[in-house]
C-alpha cells in the first residue's frame, strides 16, 4: 500500500491524490463513506453501501438501498 503525507487545512479538508481516486474509481464529484477504526481512517465509494443498513449486498445504484431494506419498506417492516 502506497503512503502519502498530506496536510489537513483549517476547515478539516484533505485532498486525496489523483492516483488514489482513480484506483477507487472516484472520478468527478462523488459521494464517499468515511469511517474510523482506532487510529485509521477509511474511505470507500458510497455506491456500494446501503443508506439504511450499511450493507454492501445487492445495493440499487439509483436508490442506494439494498434489496432487503426495499423489501422491508414494501411490507412496512423497517
Amino acid at each position: 500500500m502506497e503512503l502519502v503525507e498530506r496536510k489537513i487545512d483549517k476547515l478539516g479538508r484533505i485532498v486525496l491524490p489523483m492516483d488514489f481516486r482513480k484506483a477507487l474509481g472516484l472520478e468527478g464529484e462523488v459521494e464517499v463513506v468515511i469511517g474510523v477504526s482506532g487510529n485509521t481512517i477509511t474511505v470507500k465509494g458510497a455506491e456500494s453501501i446501503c443508506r439504511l443498513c450499511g450493507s454492501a449486498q445487492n445495493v440499487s445504484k439509483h436508490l442506494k438501498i439494498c434489496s432487503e431494506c426495499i423489501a422491508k419498506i414494501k411490507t412496512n417492516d423497517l
Side-chain angles (χ1 to χ4, degrees):
M1 175 172 67
E2 182 182 352
L3 299 176
V4 177
E5 285 190 27
R6 291 284 193 239
K7 287 187 178 184
I8 298 174
D9 72 11
K10 293 177 185 177
L11 297 175
R13 297 176 295 197
I14 186 168
V15 175
L16 297 176
M18 185 186 318
D19 293 346
F20 289 19
R21 296 191 313 267
K22 283 183 179 180
L24 293 172
L26 304 173
E27 297 188 30
E29 292 186 16
V30 296
E31 292 183 21
V32 295
V33 175
I34 302 171
V36 175
S37 178
N39 64 350
T40 302
I41 297 172
T42 58
V43 179
K44 298 179 186 179
E47 287 185 272
S48 61
I49 305 295
C50 176
R51 291 182 176 206
L52 299 177
C53 72
S55 171
Q57 300 292 321
N58 302 315
V59 179
S60 163
K61 289 185 179 182
H62 299 291
L63 298 174
K64 296 186 181 176
I65 300 174
C66 71
S67 57
E68 187 174 321
C69 286
I70 290 171
K72 287 180 181 179
I73 290 169
K74 287 181 178 179
T75 61
N76 293 320
D77 195 28
L78 188 62

